[in-house]
Amino acid sequence: MKKLSAGFAFAIFTLLLTACNKEPEQVLLEGKTMGTTYHVKYIDDGSIKNLPKPETIQKELDILLKEVNNQMSTYQRESQISQFNQYHTVDSSFNVAKDFALVVEEGIRLNKVTDGALDITIGPLVNLWGFGPDKRLNKVPTAEQIAERAKSVGIEKLIVAFENNDRQNGNAFLQKKEPNLYVDLSSIAKGFGVDKVANHLNSLGLENYLVEIGGEIYGKGNNLKKQPWTIAIEKPEFTQGTSVQIAVPLHNLGMATSGNYRNYFEDEQGNRLSHIIDPKTLRPISHNLASITVFAPTTMTADGLSTGLFVLGADKALEVAEREKLAVFLIIKNGQEYETKMSSEFKKLIKE
């Protein structure tokens, strides 16, 4: 067997060293999903062997997000959630995908955390007020219409179960205790979609990335400058991007914001009605909390909490955040002025 010459061996070594020391680059992927857009940034430093090309990764992500949509979109008639909502048999197990069941289970858990303010069965009233798949009429429903829809609302009327209590391998089922029960996961599904994308990037070995779907975000590791991904929280205005209230580093956290300053309609009298329905009053919320941003280990949890806490209003939301040790940032509108409040956990977050 012939020996390599010293010069040739050195050339090979230099080539390998150069490949290992590839200059890090930021890759951007973007597309459409869940009626909105997604953006993914990740840092490729050449350290991952056989990392798929960006176009391959994007195709994989599109497949994952399409699957989430096919399971949880009430805007698709053939989705699993639409089929379940059209299934009017009580106490009968309806087989669903494991991911779908896990999102429902988290929605039920967060209902308790938020003192009932997040209710994934509120869909009939969301539709009635014109914020769901039904055609918007821009009319305030009557008391009789509200009372009739309210009969089919209630988190206690929804059961989620796993075969042999095995969340990893067992089949997943949902059950109704009310034939007209209607599940709406719009308050939590986008966050789950973010987590689904993040988990796939983890499986590829990527350590530094930022995922965003419709404003719900998860950041892991550092950006191209080797600093934590930093996200700006906007001052609420009726036009986007007017000013920044505070910038927050995402240290392997999910982030979600809820507010009523963009998604609304005006009734016949010109009153602005929020798209978020209070399960207790059965009406669009009405208070001076302009927006709330929540940080949590998963974006699904942050997404659900942001909706539930927003329903509660500023004082109660902050009370729950302190009780549950949640990192939240609130922007409150007083007349033409804004003031901010933050939980103890949020203060710790921005000091890290």
Side-chain angles (χ1 to χ4, degrees):
M1 182 177 181
K2 293 183 179 180
K3 293 183 179 180
L4 296 174
S5 69
F8 188 59
F10 179 76
I12 293 176
F13 174 76
T14 303
L15 183 63
L16 291 173
L17 188 62
T18 302
C20 291
N21 292 334
K22 173 188 173 182
E23 188 71 20
E25 63 173 327
Q26 176 179 286
V27 179
L28 172 63
L29 307 177
E30 51 190 0
K32 295 182 179 180
T33 186
M34 302 182 189
T36 184
T37 58
Y38 73 80
H39 299 82
V40 176
K41 298 177 182 179
Y42 66 85
I43 308 302
D44 180 7
D45 60 6
S47 63
I48 303 174
K49 289 185 178 181
N50 302 318
L51 180 67
K53 293 180 179 180
E55 54 267 29
T56 300
I57 294 177
Q58 179 150 23
K59 287 180 182 178
E60 293 169 348
L61 298 183
D62 285 338
I63 290 172
L64 289 175
L65 291 172
K66 184 177 181 180
E67 183 180 18
V68 174
N69 230 15
N70 288 341
Q71 291 174 13
M72 306 179 208
S73 172
T74 55
Y75 287 84
Q76 294 186 13
R77 291 188 176 183
E78 299 304 317
S79 67
Q80 272 194 12
I81 196 169
S82 292
Q83 291 179 44
F84 178 69
N85 287 337
Q86 295 163 17
Y87 183 73
H88 302 299
T89 306
V90 174
D91 294 328
S92 178
S93 295
F94 186 92
N95 186 236
V96 296
K98 184 180 70 173
D99 282 352
F100 184 8
L102 290 173
V103 173
V104 170
E105 189 174 50
E106 179 68 352
I108 293 173
R109 185 184 76 85
L110 294 181
N111 177 265
K112 295 179 181 179
V113 172
T114 60
D115 296 342
L118 176 72
D119 192 335
I120 58 175
T121 72
I122 198 70
L125 287 163
V126 173
N127 294 336
L128 180 64
W129 282 94
F131 294 106
D134 294 354
K135 183 179 179 181
R136 178 173 294 176
L137 301 177
N138 285 20
K139 289 184 178 180
V140 174
T142 66
E144 291 76 12
Q145 289 174 318
I146 293 173
E148 183 62 31
R149 292 287 183 100
K151 292 177 183 178
S152 57
V153 173
I155 201 74
E156 73 284 353
K157 300 170 184 175
L158 175 62
I159 307 296
V160 58
F162 296 87
E163 187 178 27
N164 301 321
N165 291 321
D166 186 351
R167 284 168 173 75
Q168 296 298 319
N169 304 306
N171 292 322
F173 304 94
L174 298 182
Q175 287 185 0
K176 293 183 177 185
K177 296 295 182 182
E178 152 65 41
N180 294 317
L181 187 76
Y182 181 102
V183 175
D184 184 346
L185 297 177
S186 58
S187 61
I188 197 170
K190 278 192 299 183
F192 176 78
V194 171
D195 295 336
K196 194 76 174 176
V197 169
N199 289 337
H200 186 69
L201 298 179
N202 289 339
S203 73
L204 297 176
L206 291 166
E207 296 288 340
N208 304 288
Y209 59 77
L210 186 73
V211 181
E212 179 264 340
I213 299 177
E216 324 302 3
I217 305 172
Y218 185 87
K220 180 179 180 180
N222 298 317
N223 59 22
L224 201 55
K225 297 179 180 179
K226 297 185 178 180
Q227 298 174 343
W229 302 98
T230 300
I231 305 300
I233 301 176
E234 288 182 359
K235 176 181 177 181
E237 297 287 0
F238 295 112
T239 58
Q240 286 185 317
T242 52
S243 63
V244 173
Q245 195 74 39
I246 191 171
V248 185
L250 280 188
H251 295 282
N252 304 340
L253 286 173
M255 164 184 162
T257 299
S258 284
N260 65 0
Y261 50 96
R262 292 200 186 106
N263 192 358
Y264 62 89
F265 78 81
E266 293 183 355
D267 63 18
E268 299 96 322
Q269 286 74 43
N271 298 312
R272 194 184 301 271
L273 300 176
S274 167
H275 70 290
I276 300 177
I277 308 300
D278 186 336
K280 290 184 172 63
T281 66
L282 310 179
R283 301 178 62 85
I285 56 169
S286 177
H287 51 54
N288 66 345
L289 178 56
S291 76
I292 183 167
T293 301
V294 181
F295 300 82
T298 69
T299 316
M300 171 175 65
T301 297
D303 198 4
L305 283 173
S306 68
T307 300
L309 295 177
F310 187 75
V311 169
L312 292 174
D315 293 340
K316 184 64 176 177
L318 199 55
E319 178 187 320
V320 171
E322 295 295 350
R323 183 188 75 203
E324 301 291 337
K325 294 182 170 52
L326 305 174
V328 304
F329 179 79
L330 303 89
I331 302 178
I332 302 157
K333 192 173 190 296
N334 291 320
Q336 298 302 313
E337 302 296 325
Y338 291 99
E339 67 170 304
T340 63
K341 291 185 179 182
M342 57 190 76
S343 68
S344 300
E345 289 299 314
F346 181 83
K347 293 176 183 178
K348 293 178 186 178
L349 173 63
I350 59 177
K351 287 181 180 179
E352 291 178 355

